[in-house]
Amino acid sequence: ELSPRTEETFGFTIGQALVWTAYGCNVLSEVSALMTLIVCFSTRYFLLMVLPTLESKIEWVQRTRPIIKMTYGYSCSVWFFSLSLMFGGIVASPDFGFLAVGIMAILAWAAACVHSQMYLQATFLLVEEVKNVLHPMRSRILYVEEGSTGWRNAVESSSGGEKEH
């Protein structure tokens, strides 16, 4: 329910819209956090329990790209949570709510900068680790991106040349 000060400042309709926007952003942050956890657990399950060889694990990670899905889920969770705090701050205190908006915008921007640097460094480390693992024996199956459609063709390397499937 709106406080008298919020209703006086924004009016009933805009005040209700701010409350429902804050609530919607809160629900979306919870849903994206839950989806991120589901992707994390299913990725761990497939890598530890289902896929038998290192090559199949690398191929599965390359095909499904779970790290990208986890990154998007985490980013959505942080952004929707920040938005829910911003709108909630405006509704809770119309006089000082804009201060909460400014502070949360700065914190969300800082989190995005730190988050992107962490994933950049993790990606570099992952690439180096995969190179070190695959260097002694080359993988027989490579995936080549084709055009702008995003379809992949399996290319099998053999001693006599390359064949497309």
Side-chain angles (χ1 to χ4, degrees):
E1 192 168 317
L2 293 176
S3 69
R5 180 73 180 125
T6 303
E7 193 169 341
E8 177 186 315
T9 303
F10 297 111
F12 182 77
T13 306
I14 294 175
Q16 284 289 8
L18 288 172
V19 167
W20 282 106
T21 304
Y23 176 72
C25 288
N26 187 27
V27 169
L28 287 172
S29 78
E30 292 173 5
V31 167
S32 58
L34 181 63
M35 293 306 295
T36 304
L37 283 174
I38 290 170
V39 170
C40 290
F41 290 139
S42 62
T43 299
R44 183 176 173 90
Y45 173 74
F46 274 98
L47 290 177
L48 294 178
M49 304 295 231
V50 175
L51 301 168
T53 65
L54 179 62
E55 280 189 354
S56 66
K57 292 175 184 182
I58 292 172
E59 291 293 328
W60 182 81
V61 167
Q62 185 180 12
R63 285 183 192 181
T64 61
R65 302 175 196 254
I67 296 172
I68 293 173
K69 293 173 186 169
M70 287 180 232
T71 303
Y72 287 151
Y74 173 76
S75 297
C76 287
S77 181
V78 168
W79 282 106
F80 284 129
F81 181 70
S82 298
L83 287 173
S84 70
L85 289 179
M86 289 178 191
F87 288 117
I90 290 173
V91 169
S93 175
D95 297 328
F96 297 106
F98 293 103
L99 182 62
V101 170
I103 291 171
M104 283 309 299
I106 291 169
L107 288 175
W109 177 78
C113 291
V114 169
H115 181 255
S116 64
Q117 282 298 317
M118 287 175 14
Y119 271 96
L120 178 67
Q121 295 304 319
T123 303
F124 287 150
L125 291 172
L126 181 64
V127 167
E128 288 302 316
E129 185 175 343
V130 169
K131 283 181 182 178
N132 289 335
V133 168
L134 294 180
H135 181 66
M137 66 175 180
R138 299 197 61 108
S139 176
R140 292 183 338 173
I141 300 174
L142 303 172
Y143 280 86
V144 181
E145 296 286 337
E146 232 186 12
S148 63
T149 60
W151 291 96
R152 297 175 186 89
N153 282 339
V155 178
E156 187 173 322
S157 299
S158 63
S159 59
E162 294 183 352
K163 300 185 279 188
E164 288 196 18
H165 295 275

